[in-house]
Amino acid sequence: MLPILEIKDLKKHYAAKTGLFGRMSNTVKALDGISLAIEKGKTFAIVGESGSGKTTLGKTMLRLIEPTSGSIIFNGQDIMALGTESMRKLKTDMQIVFQDPFGSLDPRWTVRRTLEEPLRTHYSYSAETITKKVDEILEVVGLTPQHALRYPYELSGGQRQRVGIARALILEPQFVVFDEPVSALDVSIQAQVLTLLQDLQSRLSLTYLFISHDLSVVRYISDHVGVMYLGKMMETGPSEQLFSNPLHPYTEALISAIPQPDPDKRRERIVLSGEVPSPRNAPSGCVFHTRCPKAMPQCSSIQPEWLQVSENRYIACHLYNN
Amino acid sequence: MQRRLLLVGLVFILLWVVLALLAPWIAPYDPNGIRTEDKLQSPNMAHWFGTDNFGRDIFSRILYGARVTLWTGVLAIGIACVAGIPLGAIAGYFGGKVGNIIMRMMDTLLAFPSLILAMALAASIGPGLLGALLAVGIVAMPEFARLMYGQTVVIKEKEFIEASRALGVRHTAIIFQHILPNALAPLIVQITLGLGSAVLITSSLSFLGLGVRPPTAEWGAMISYGRDYIMSGEWWMTFFPGIAIATTIFGFILLGDGLRDALDPHGRSPRHK
């Protein structure tokens, strides 16, 4: 199947100046050579700890953050080559839902005005058409036209996030980035919103990039998973395979940390020692070697290559380098 | 307490606005009518605030002076807002070199004492009301630019701004429809306080002969005429215009302070809700 979106060797480096007068300069590699492909109608999930670069990845894919290098191919077109105006038009096809349902809505705008903004930006519909489309999308995300008159502070977290989803979907995009869409919500609301997302995906044949640090959520919603650590992709693979048979030591450790609901089903828990190193001072070689339980001598000096190990699985680890 | 001060300020300002609007109907005399036979009368039943050295009724001149003062204040602050707010917004939103150049220019203007700068500008533009207006506007502009800059830098980092960018909304629309409305509360406070200082600086310029041309009734100019008569005992020529200037500025300051507290949701204590 053809990917709707493919990124190749995507990099985002920030120059971090340190020292007096910023004489010493350090490069923070927020994204360091990420490659992945997302199939149409599927959900690709990105997991990783805070600071792993997953949010940067999501925003860079929409060019909300300009990448340092690499290519982003959407529907066969490299969007890195697009000018400002064509990029602006492309926003009707690529959208994002943000993590914070409180901060992502203008506090001085009613829900209706917020939902009208994308339509007014891109189309010159009549007032009635706009009203109709807003009412329709409200219904799609499980709200009513009455909610349109409210201000964000009058809504609950779950309702606000539904407004955020409605705003992203009203332009009928093909691809939507969800940046931790449920992590700010109560668990009961999380389930509702996740069900809504799955329902919308099948109804509107959407493709998702789903960013999360919550592995149980990812397991529930994703078709394909990518595991990130310190700006690098450690492993990607189909969700089922990755969860049942993790290859990378980091993936293994993450999966062993998922709480097990069945107390009789014991599983060995791999506890990683230490903290995530500072991205300003990323370890040499494999970035994970400082915490890896299976580290070998070459891990600290040689960067592992991005290798295909089976049909759909890629990994960056010296353990599989032969 | 704060609420009461806000009300006091509002009463002062409304009083002057009403008096200015109704001046032609309230004023007992022509403000510029010279009657040398009535000159230098102390306050009495016919001339409540007395008369000046040309026999002009000071009460009537103060009423008409309110029109000049309020108009110049509003227009000068209008100029300051129209120039300062977009400059601050552009500097804050786009940042970089352009932003740096704009803000350093504003800093340069702020470095001068405002009256000295206003005098220099008014003198170089040429005496007269228009010169004074522009001078006061330019002097007040950097405060607005700096305030808007600070607000923009904070607001543009909010996620709803990023959401609008993700929707493809144009920069101008983001600035005018999202950033400006969210920066409005502190701007309103600054406008009110700015009106107070604009009144002070325009009357100072008029006092120095750089503002309105005679015989226009203007409070600063009236004090200037009365200056020569203070020592000889004709206090009313300076006293009443002085009170007029003081109450106007006082009113704007109270109003501005009160609005700042009223518009700041964090500073509001429960009993004022």
Side-chain angles (χ1 to χ4, degrees):
Chain A
M1 200 155 158
L2 257 174
I4 184 170
L5 191 128
E6 197 174 358
I7 61 175
K8 285 177 188 156
D9 201 24
L10 198 67
K11 289 182 182 170
K12 177 66 195 178
H13 293 181
Y14 292 98
K17 299 240 166 109
T18 51
L20 196 61
F21 305 121
R23 267 178 307 184
M24 305 197 296
S25 107
N26 227 337
T27 315
V28 173
K29 295 174 177 173
L31 296 178
D32 199 19
I34 304 283
S35 302
L36 55 84
I38 306 174
E39 284 174 23
K40 192 168 171 49
K42 301 284 176 157
T43 299
F44 195 110
I46 302 286
V47 294
E49 294 168 75
S50 5
S52 59
K54 47 193 198 307
T55 294
T56 310
L57 176 63
K59 290 182 180 172
T60 308
M61 284 165 90
L62 305 182
R63 283 182 72 191
L64 282 175
I65 297 172
E66 284 297 328
T68 310
S69 68
S71 55
I72 306 166
I73 295 144
F74 180 67
N75 278 334
Q77 181 185 31
D78 188 350
I79 68 167
M80 286 306 297
L82 294 179
T84 321
E85 198 52 26
S86 345
M87 196 58 222
R88 221 175 60 77
K89 295 222 173 76
L90 195 69
K91 308 283 166 103
T92 55
D93 285 330
M94 307 172 89
Q95 270 305 313
I96 180 165
V97 173
F98 292 92
Q99 172 176 13
D100 178 9
F102 300 84
S104 59
L105 302 174
D106 189 328
R108 293 183 178 266
W109 283 29
T110 59
V111 169
R112 180 170 297 283
R113 193 166 173 209
T114 295
L115 295 179
E116 283 176 353
E117 185 180 37
L119 295 176
R120 292 188 192 280
T121 300
H122 290 281
Y123 306 104
S124 39
Y125 290 136
S126 67
E128 299 92 75
T129 315
I130 288 180
T131 310
K132 208 180 101 220
K133 283 193 172 274
V134 169
D135 290 346
E136 276 169 11
I137 200 79
L138 280 169
E139 201 182 317
V140 167
V141 299
L143 295 170
T144 65
Q146 277 84 49
H147 289 108
L149 305 170
R150 309 238 179 111
Y151 286 91
Y153 68 88
E154 296 175 297
L155 301 174
S156 68
Q159 288 171 330
R160 276 181 236 199
Q161 198 55 296
R162 285 171 195 265
V163 175
I165 294 166
R167 171 174 60 186
L169 295 184
I170 199 164
L171 291 170
E172 296 166 26
Q174 302 172 36
F175 173 66
V176 186
V177 172
F178 291 90
D179 185 6
E180 306 229 20
V182 296
S183 63
L185 306 176
D186 289 341
V187 179
S188 58
I189 315 284
Q190 282 192 6
Q192 288 177 16
V193 172
L194 289 174
T195 318
L196 171 70
L197 294 185
Q198 285 189 318
D199 177 45
L200 291 173
Q201 180 168 44
S202 56
R203 265 205 287 169
L204 309 170
S205 59
L206 298 165
T207 308
Y208 290 167
L209 180 82
F210 192 93
I211 298 163
S212 180
H213 62 263
D214 188 336
L215 286 165
S216 23
V217 168
V218 165
R219 184 179 218 166
Y220 174 76
I221 198 157
S222 66
D223 301 300
H224 219 84
V225 182
V227 181
M228 281 184 78
Y229 185 82
L230 275 181
K232 291 212 178 243
M233 197 62 90
M234 298 282 106
E235 179 173 7
T236 63
S239 186
E240 263 166 64
Q241 288 182 35
L242 193 123
F243 277 97
S244 58
N245 176 29
L247 296 178
H248 198 287
Y250 181 56
T251 318
E252 250 183 295
L254 282 183
I255 287 168
S256 81
I258 303 176
Q260 186 59 252
D262 184 352
D264 295 331
K265 242 175 143 184
R266 293 254 158 177
R267 190 172 52 184
E268 197 193 340
R269 171 122 195 251
I270 307 162
V271 181
L272 293 179
S273 58
E275 297 280 316
V276 186
S278 159
R280 285 185 171 216
N281 243 321
S284 57
C286 171
V287 286
F288 185 57
H289 84 261
T290 52
R291 300 171 76 197
C292 183
K294 297 179 181 168
M296 301 177 293
Q298 68 264 41
C299 293
S300 58
S301 51
I302 307 161
Q303 263 192 41
E305 277 174 70
W306 188 236
L307 293 174
Q308 183 166 18
V309 286
S310 65
E311 198 199 341
N312 281 316
R313 299 193 71 172
Y314 291 82
I315 186 166
C317 182
H318 288 302
L319 287 172
Y320 302 88
N321 207 356
N322 32 43
Chain B
M1 191 58 197
Q2 280 299 338
R3 274 287 150 89
R4 218 169 300 155
L5 287 179
L6 187 146
L7 276 180
V8 173
L10 199 64
V11 166
F12 272 122
I13 298 308
L14 282 180
L15 184 74
W16 279 119
V17 169
V18 169
L19 289 176
L21 286 173
L22 299 180
W25 292 277
I26 304 175
Y29 298 92
D30 172 5
N32 298 324
I34 295 175
R35 285 168 306 276
T36 36
E37 68 276 14
D38 289 343
K39 75 172 182 183
L40 298 176
Q41 284 188 18
S42 60
N44 55 49
M45 288 312 287
H47 299 283
W48 293 352
F49 290 177
T51 59
D52 67 6
N53 51 332
F54 295 107
R56 294 176 294 196
D57 180 51
I58 291 187
F59 180 63
S60 307
R61 286 181 70 71
I62 283 185
L63 292 183
Y64 276 90
R67 307 188 128 192
V68 178
T69 302
L70 292 178
W71 264 119
T72 48
V74 168
L75 289 177
I77 293 303
I79 292 169
C81 285
V82 166
I85 293 174
L87 283 175
I90 289 166
Y93 188 80
F94 295 105
K97 259 197 196 111
V98 178
N100 235 323
I101 290 170
I102 293 175
M103 290 323 288
R104 293 302 77 75
M105 274 163 55
M106 295 299 131
D107 286 346
T108 312
L109 286 177
L110 276 173
F112 290 100
S114 45
L115 184 59
I116 309 284
L117 181 61
M119 277 168 61
L121 287 168
S124 59
I125 299 167
L129 202 54
L130 189 69
L133 266 179
L134 282 172
V136 177
I138 293 169
V139 169
M141 169 183 70
E143 290 286 356
F144 287 94
R146 205 164 61 158
L147 180 66
M148 190 62 197
Y149 173 79
Q151 291 291 316
T152 308
V153 167
V154 173
I155 297 167
K156 79 162 179 184
E157 295 301 324
K158 301 255 163 124
E159 217 164 40
F160 63 83
I161 301 294
E162 196 172 25
S164 289
R165 286 207 299 125
L167 290 167
V169 181
R170 289 194 165 83
H171 294 310
T172 41
I174 290 180
I175 291 174
F176 284 105
Q177 294 172 14
H178 288 287
I179 294 181
L180 193 60
N182 279 289
L184 214 53
L187 282 174
I188 287 171
V189 173
Q190 181 62 38
I191 286 170
T192 319
L193 295 173
L195 281 168
S197 23
V199 168
L200 184 63
I201 296 175
T202 21
S203 16
S204 305
L205 288 178
S206 298
F207 176 82
L208 295 166
L210 288 165
V212 298
R213 292 303 192 79
T216 315
E218 202 278 341
W219 298 342
M222 289 167 71
I223 295 180
S224 174
Y225 298 137
R227 194 177 41 161
D228 298 336
Y229 296 88
I230 297 175
M231 297 310 285
S232 51
E234 283 86 8
W235 53 272
W236 55 89
M237 280 183 71
T238 45
F239 179 76
F240 291 109
I243 290 290
I245 294 172
T247 49
T248 310
I249 296 168
F250 189 57
F252 278 127
I253 290 173
L254 285 186
L255 192 63
D257 270 355
L259 284 175
R260 171 160 40 213
D261 295 336
L263 293 172
D264 176 14
H266 307 292
R268 206 182 298 166
S269 64
R271 67 205 153 88
H272 291 138
K273 267 184 182 161

